[in-house]
Amino acid sequence: MPNSATPDATRSSISTIKVDLHIHSSYSRDSLTSLEEIIATAQQRGLGALAILDHNTIAGGLALREIAPFPVIVGEEVMTTAGEIAGLFLSEEIPKGLSPQETVTRIHEQGGLVYVPHPFDSLRKSRLEQWALMAILDQVDILEVLNARVVRPADNERARLFAEAHGLPGAAGS
């Protein structure tokens, strides 16, 4: 018996939400944005969910998850020995200073997703070194292809093309 659902009918039943996967809160060394300001801005911009990726802590994400009227993904932007790697859907902090491989292992052990932020930002010293990205590439779940703080648009474009070439989902963060 043929399927009565047409592709258009299927598409119309799927809802989409906007999600920012890379936000820092006042719990991070590089942000003064309060949790209340994050909630207000997310609502103004029509975000349906967001991820808090504070540097080397999940405390901000845990705190925001308790008060936000929308889903909050608890994450952490971890400084490894070769640059930053982020984990999404974390329940425990990952210590800074581990190797990229150990960081990825600890993220996956929690059932988290490995997210590589700003991978080709030519001005950011904290980006993951290219050799390290290639060493963990088969364990990367998401690659950031648009970071609002990347100054050179070509760096975001390079990330987008890299993600496409390697079959990785691309994500955006502010």
Side-chain angles (χ1 to χ4, degrees), residues 18-24 47 49-53 73 75-77 86-89 113 115 117 142-144 146 169-174:
K18 292 192 305 186
V19 179
D20 188 327
L21 289 180
H22 190 168
I23 296 176
H24 295 297
L47 294 178
L50 55 81
I52 297 295
L53 294 182
I73 300 165
E76 177 183 4
E77 191 168 12
L88 299 170
F89 301 101
L113 298 177
Y115 177 87
I142 305 167
L143 193 79
E144 188 171 69
L146 176 63
S174 59

Side-chain angles (χ1 to χ4, degrees), residues 62-80:
L62 292 171
L64 185 63
R65 186 172 68 184
E66 294 299 316
I67 63 171
F70 46 76
V72 173
I73 300 165
V74 175
E76 177 183 4
E77 191 168 12
V78 183
M79 179 55 76
T80 74

Side-chain angles (χ1 to χ4, degrees), residues 120 122 145-147 150-160:
F120 298 105
S122 57
V145 299
L146 176 63
N147 180 294
V150 169
V151 175
R152 296 180 175 149
D155 294 345
N156 278 330
E157 178 64 6
R158 183 174 174 205
R160 185 186 69 76

Side-chain angles (χ1 to χ4, degrees), residues 58 76 90-94 106 110:
I58 62 170
E76 177 183 4
L90 300 180
S91 55
E92 297 177 18
E93 283 183 7
I94 311 282
R106 289 188 183 210
Q110 294 185 44

Side-chain angles (χ1 to χ4, degrees), residues 116 131-141 143 162 166 168:
V116 178
W131 66 265
L133 174 59
M134 297 311 292
I136 64 164
L137 188 59
D138 63 337
Q139 299 165 79
V140 172
D141 299 300
L143 193 79
F162 184 88
H166 295 280
L168 290 170

Side-chain angles (χ1 to χ4, degrees), residues 13-143:
S13 68
I14 298 172
S15 61
T16 59
I17 62 171
K18 292 192 305 186
V19 179
D20 188 327
L21 289 180
H22 190 168
I23 296 176
H24 295 297
S25 76
S26 57
Y27 287 72
S28 194
R29 63 174 163 70
D30 63 345
S31 176
L32 299 174
T33 309
S34 71
L35 301 181
E36 294 76 19
E37 289 173 299
I38 290 170
I39 290 170
T41 302
Q43 291 177 319
Q44 288 169 349
R45 295 188 179 162
L47 294 178
L50 55 81
I52 297 295
L53 294 182
D54 289 326
H55 290 279
N56 305 306
T57 183
I58 62 170
L62 292 171
L64 185 63
R65 186 172 68 184
E66 294 299 316
I67 63 171
F70 46 76
V72 173
I73 300 165
V74 175
E76 177 183 4
E77 191 168 12
V78 183
M79 179 55 76
T80 74
T81 56
E84 293 173 327
I85 296 174
L88 299 170
F89 301 101
L90 300 180
S91 55
E92 297 177 18
E93 283 183 7
I94 311 282
K96 67 180 180 179
L98 300 174
S99 71
Q101 183 57 58
E102 179 64 20
T103 301
V104 166
T105 298
R106 289 188 183 210
I107 291 168
H108 282 157
E109 284 176 348
Q110 294 185 44
L113 298 177
V114 173
Y115 177 87
V116 178
H118 43 73
F120 298 105
D121 187 342
S122 57
L123 300 177
R124 194 180 312 238
K125 292 179 190 216
S126 63
R127 75 178 180 276
L128 188 62
E129 294 178 31
Q130 296 308 293
W131 66 265
L133 174 59
M134 297 311 292
I136 64 164
L137 188 59
D138 63 337
Q139 299 165 79
V140 172
D141 299 300
I142 305 167
L143 193 79

